Amino acid sequence: MHSKLLPTAAVVLAFMLAPATQASAATIRIASQGDATSLDPHSHNESFTNYFLANVYEGLVGRDRDFKIAGQLAESWEQVDDKTWIFKLRPGVTFHDGSEFNAEDVVFSFDRALAESSNFKHVLASVDSYRAVDDLTIEIITTAPNPILLNDLLDLMILDKQWAEANGAEEPINLQAEEKSFSATNANGTGPFAISSRAQGEKTELVKYADYWNESGNIDKVVFTPINNASTLVSALLSGEVDLVMPLPLQDIARVESAKGIKVVSSPEARTMYIGMDQWRDQIIESPVEGNPFKDLKVRQAFAHALDAQAIIDRVMQGQATLSTQYVMDKVNGYNPALERLAYDPEKAKALLAEAGYADGMELTMDCSTDRYVNDGQICQAAVSLLARVGVKVNLIAQPKAQFFPKVVAPEFGTSFFLLSWTPSTMDSLNVFQNVLGSRDLDNGRGAWNISGCSVPEADAIVEEAAVTMDADKRRAMLEEAMALMVDDVCLIPLHVQQLVWGAAENIDVVQHPTFEFPLEYYNVN
Amino acid sequence: MYSIITRLVQAAIVMLCVALVGFLVFQYVGDPVLAMVGQETSVADREALRKQLGLNDPIVVQYIRYVGNALQGDFGISYSFNRDVSDMIAERLPATVELVLLSGVLSLALAIPAGIYTGIHRRGGLAQTIMALSVIGVSVPSFLLGILLILVFSVWLPWLPSFGRGDIAGLAGFQSSLFTVDGLLHALMPATVLCLFQLGVILRLIRSEMLEVLRTDYIRFAWARGLPAQRVYLQHALKNTLVPVVTAVGLQLSSLFAFSIITEYVFQWPGMGSLLLHAIGQSDIPLLAAYLIFVGFVFTLANLVVDAIYVLIDPRIRHGAR
């Protein structure tokens, strides 16, 4: 039967297959758990898709090898006054199809990013107007001084106007229209790699763009394959069928480290994990407790003292995380180095709960996703048992992200105790204040992810001023002050900063950026 | 002719029902809008998109609108890929079909002889071994078996590729990876894993039917007439086991489409199963609906074919009352 067939067939086939598992010198084979959902740089704002496409498309500015903001399609820029920016474009740049890049393409791409079906309208939220001054000059005027305009522009990719118009791709796809989605399956950027073939969900091949304006590493060809199943992903690395896998599941780290010819590459990711507590309802939901205990600062502090984040890092995260003291990681502008986290101290937690009138403990329901962050379900389970030690009984609702997010997001905010996480895409803490920490003001786009409903008006005022302060040092000091206020108020309980953990062949030089970018032009195969 | 028309009408009703059940379930697969937009998209923009997609309408309205479009051949645009659902299904279908065909052929080619053999020599050592192994095929979950095979034949013994579909070549107007060595190598492990359950079930069915038939009077008379063993087993016995076997095979082979979801996931086979898993994760309703309707179609088609085959193999049905 089957058991007889396999070995026989496999022996025969072994001879035919042997050469296929060796990489040629300048090809890198990458496998990841997901695929880019679209090749259109304005349709999906999803980090993997964005950073995959950042190898093909470029913005006016981008990140250099050391993660600093550097000119890409803009060669230089200057501020005429607080609100007016002049960008000088790089001359002689061409798109992959050979056509020339100029200011017209920039204006077109800005228009396109503001179209109805675009998911990148927010990057131009501070911009009042933009225009082409001449062929290689762009003027941008903001509505108010915007010190982080460059950060905002990082995610705005530039397309070729003629190419888009010729192919009916003037807008990111309109779901209602009957048009063919050309730009979802084809790409024409100025980046270091061009897409040579693509079968969605199966395989995408990129080749080095010979006329790229900048230096790029020695990789000529990239074969990218999504592998959804974590154990197949690891097997493909162990068997030498791929050179780089991302992410590597934490439980396989030891297995990969002990294998010959492959290594584990890790570095902190700009994602901070928090536990949140409902501070806005008068009556918390899904709990027999009367009223809202979280309105009392002592209760929030008690919870912070009860949650042993180091134990969660050691056991659940296998050491692949760093303890956090606040709501952003240290590479984010506005990180306050003076802050300390409330120490793990169950006795103190019990005392604080008693002072607040909960000497006999309490019962709560916690909402948690199971497939969104690294080991999110296990983090919550650990939190539940840590809280049980101080007399807080937590009923855990661990659910797929498809159920979790619709329940907890605006405008319902349907949870009173939850796990959440945030990556500020701009690497500036203003993004966290606007979305997660600022008092809710949905009409003005503030606090849409403030599920806790915490509110520190003093911090809001400081942040509002910092948002329009052009002096970088002064601005950073203000953001740090606001961060301290939020931490003192225990708006959320920070847990840890998770690590990016990848597995790679020994001969590959990998550059990891904290926002999950994988700029292949800096990669090398030795 | 009349019966075929009745069957087609029935098939259409089945597919409508499948789609309706699908739409009722879609209420609980999560919010597609949240899966589509980025974290910075405002609440107002999310609401506008929800309205634009018609997700605020009552479920019955959404269903009727969907069926109306589907009847005109428009299955909508995938929320998560921004592409025509029909294009995506057409792109993924060949991979699943070739996997299902290969494992269907494998399971029949192995199950029929093994079933006959174990039916005849039911006390023999080999027959007992085959029966024991078939229990494994029926009872071991396919994802476990898949991971195990990958570990053995890709990681320990680097003989077979652990994931994906191989090179594709054209033959007689068809494009398939089964026409290349590389493609066959890639398909071998997934097809084996996928066929094992069907193999076990069909083998056991043929064996028990054989045992049944071999006890009947006309077989004894056949022996008494001194007919050669080959003729008794294959012509007289096997032929009379076929009606229930064909029914089972028809259903089992169409359920390969459903089973292929897990196999495709484990081996990253770029077929419809892995597309479905993505669609579930992203709450991609147009894609989910199209998949359900398609699988409903395959099942009804398989039943139709099975009924036609009955007529061919069973003279009682052929000449019976209409």
Side-chain angles (χ1 to χ4, degrees), chain A residues 17 44 173 228 232 241 403, chain B residues 28 80 82 159 162 266 268:
Chain A
L17 195 76
H44 283 159
I173 186 74
N228 306 119
T232 311
E241 287 166 272
Q403 273 72 44
Chain B
Y28 304 98
S80 55
N82 288 0
W159 291 349
S162 61
V266 171
Q268 192 61 32

Side-chain angles (χ1 to χ4, degrees), chain A residues 2 10 13 17 44 119 173-176 180-181 200 226-228 232 239 241 402-403 410 423 425 431 449, chain B residues 28 30 36 39-41 45-46 52 77 80-84 87 92 154 159 161-162 185 196 266 268 270:
Chain A
H2 57 276
L13 303 173
L17 195 76
H44 283 159
N119 252 307
I173 186 74
N174 181 346
L175 285 162
Q176 300 273 287
K180 288 281 176 194
S181 38
Q200 190 149 37
I227 300 182
N228 306 119
T232 311
S239 65
E241 287 166 272
Q403 273 72 44
T423 299
S425 52
N431 174 285
W449 286 86
Chain B
Y28 304 98
M36 289 163 74
Q39 61 182 18
E40 277 98 354
T41 303
D45 277 353
R46 290 205 302 249
Q52 194 199 351
I77 292 175
S80 55
F81 292 108
N82 288 0
R83 298 180 55 203
D84 258 0
D87 286 356
R92 296 298 193 100
S154 300
W159 291 349
S162 61
L185 286 175
L196 280 189
V266 171
Q268 192 61 32

Side-chain angles (χ1 to χ4, degrees), chain B residues 124-148:
Chain B
L126 180 60
Q128 302 270 357
T129 316
I130 292 176
M131 290 312 290
L133 285 174
S134 79
V135 174
I136 297 180
V138 178
S139 56
V140 175
S142 55
F143 68 89
L144 190 68
L145 202 69
I147 291 172
L148 216 68

Side-chain angles (χ1 to χ4, degrees), chain A residues 1-7 9-11 13-14 16-18 21 31 36-38 43-46 116 119 121-122 173-181 184-185 199-203 225-232 235-236 238-239 241-242 255 271 401-403 405-407 409-411 421-425 431 435 442 445 448-449, chain B residues 28-31 34 36-43 45-46 48-49 52-54 74 77-84 87-88 91-92 106 110 114 126 130 133-134 136-137 147 149-151 153-155 158-163 165-168 181-182 185-186 188-189 192 196 199 203 265-268 270 274 278 280-283:
Chain A
M1 242 179 60
H2 57 276
S3 59
K4 286 197 328 200
L5 169 85
L6 253 187
V11 169
L13 303 173
M16 313 177 185
L17 195 76
T21 50
T37 48
S38 168
S43 73
H44 283 159
N45 183 13
E46 186 253 332
E116 174 89 55
N119 252 307
K121 294 191 267 270
H122 64 278
I173 186 74
N174 181 346
L175 285 162
Q176 300 273 287
E178 304 254 330
E179 62 198 82
K180 288 281 176 194
S181 38
T185 48
Q200 190 149 37
E202 189 176 344
K203 194 199 268 182
T225 330
I227 300 182
N228 306 119
N229 183 329
S231 86
T232 311
S235 299
L238 291 172
S239 65
E241 287 166 272
V242 298
R255 204 169 143 209
R271 176 175 289 291
K401 60 177 186 239
Q403 273 72 44
F405 284 107
K407 182 175 180 202
V409 297
S421 161
W422 195 261
T423 299
S425 52
N431 174 285
N435 289 292
L442 297 187
W449 286 86
Chain B
Y28 304 98
V29 296
D31 183 354
L34 275 181
M36 289 163 74
V37 301
Q39 61 182 18
E40 277 98 354
T41 303
S42 73
V43 180
D45 277 353
R46 290 205 302 249
L49 181 57
Q52 194 199 351
L53 296 175
D74 175 11
I77 292 175
S78 155
Y79 293 165
S80 55
F81 292 108
N82 288 0
R83 298 180 55 203
D84 258 0
D87 286 356
M88 300 205 64
E91 221 172 81
R92 296 298 193 100
L106 266 181
L110 295 172
L126 180 60
I130 292 176
L133 285 174
S134 79
I136 297 180
I147 291 172
L149 285 184
I150 291 176
L151 188 66
F153 293 105
S154 300
V155 178
W159 291 349
L160 292 172
S162 61
F163 70 91
R165 188 175 174 218
D167 295 341
I168 293 163
V181 174
D182 181 55
L185 286 175
H186 277 84
L188 186 61
M189 278 203 292
T192 307
L196 280 189
L199 174 56
L203 185 164
Y265 174 61
V266 171
F267 290 97
Q268 192 61 32
S274 43
H278 173 91
I280 294 172
Q282 297 294 313
S283 316

Side-chain angles (χ1 to χ4, degrees), chain A residues 172-317:
Chain A
I173 186 74
N174 181 346
L175 285 162
Q176 300 273 287
E178 304 254 330
E179 62 198 82
K180 288 281 176 194
S181 38
F182 187 81
S183 55
T185 48
N186 294 274
N188 181 32
T190 55
F193 291 91
I195 289 182
S196 59
S197 80
R198 171 158 168 93
Q200 190 149 37
E202 189 176 344
K203 194 199 268 182
T204 306
E205 293 186 345
L206 297 93
V207 290
K208 189 182 217 162
Y209 178 43
D211 292 332
Y212 185 52
W213 58 270
N214 201 3
E215 299 273 301
S216 111
N218 71 351
I219 292 171
D220 297 319
K221 187 178 171 196
V222 182
V223 180
F224 176 83
T225 330
I227 300 182
N228 306 119
N229 183 329
S231 86
T232 311
L233 187 72
V234 176
S235 299
L237 178 68
L238 291 172
S239 65
E241 287 166 272
V242 298
D243 306 310
L244 173 64
V245 299
M246 47 195 187
L248 184 68
L250 297 185
Q251 69 267 18
D252 291 307
I253 290 175
R255 204 169 143 209
V256 168
E257 271 174 343
S258 66
K260 256 196 208 121
I262 46 180
K263 60 185 174 186
V264 174
V265 195
S266 69
S267 62
E269 186 179 350
R271 176 175 289 291
T272 309
M273 306 294 303
Y274 324 115
I275 285 188
M277 302 151 288
D278 176 350
Q279 291 149 60
W280 62 284
R281 286 190 178 86
D282 290 326
Q283 169 64 53
I284 56 169
I285 55 172
E286 295 169 338
S287 158
V289 178
E290 266 190 45
N292 184 344
F294 292 126
K295 283 189 188 272
D296 188 339
L297 177 62
K298 282 184 185 142
V299 174
R300 304 202 292 276
Q301 286 170 337
F303 274 55
H305 282 299
L307 288 167
D308 186 356
Q310 189 58 50
I312 293 177
I313 293 174
D314 293 341
R315 314 267 162 74
V316 177
M317 302 299 291

